[in-house]
């Protein structure tokens, strides 16, 4: 789902969740790619959102990628 279209359709009435690819980004990506995808979503969705994978995080996902997701949120919220 295009994040900007979802934000417009939600019209501030609901909290959006998403939408990191659990396989290509979280499992196979690097920590830098996780941060990049996270900040892209947050930048498009704004503060009324929950950053999360599109579904379950696969077993074996590098812990560094999970940390990168939380660090991206921290860096975004401190702006």
């Amino acid at each position: 789902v295009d994040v900007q279209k979802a934000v417009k359709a939600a019209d501030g009435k609901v909290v959006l969740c998403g939408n990191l690819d659990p396989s290509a980004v979280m499992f196979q990506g690097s920590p830098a790619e996780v941060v990049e995808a996270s900040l892209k979503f947050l930048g498009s969705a704004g503060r009324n959102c929950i950053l999360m994978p599109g579904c379950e995080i696969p077993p074996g996902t590098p812990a560094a990628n999970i940390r990168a997701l939380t660090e991206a949120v921290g860096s975004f919220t401190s702006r």
Side-chain angles (χ1 to χ4, degrees):
V1 173
D2 180 274
V3 177
Q4 292 177 337
K5 288 181 183 178
V7 167
K8 185 176 179 179
D11 194 29
K13 297 176 181 152
V14 297
V15 174
L16 299 176
C17 299
N19 190 21
L20 301 180
D21 184 318
S23 180
V25 174
M26 293 302 299
F27 182 69
Q28 296 173 335
S30 68
E33 291 169 321
V34 172
V35 169
E36 180 183 346
S38 298
L39 293 177
K40 180 179 177 183
F41 172 79
L42 292 168
S44 295
R47 296 193 181 274
N48 194 28
C49 69
I50 299 171
L51 176 65
M52 57 186 271
C55 61
E56 294 84 10
I57 295 176
T61 295
N65 287 358
I66 297 170
R67 281 192 298 277
L69 180 129
T70 61
E71 290 167 6
V73 172
S75 72
F76 183 80
T77 58
S78 66
R79 292 180 183 179

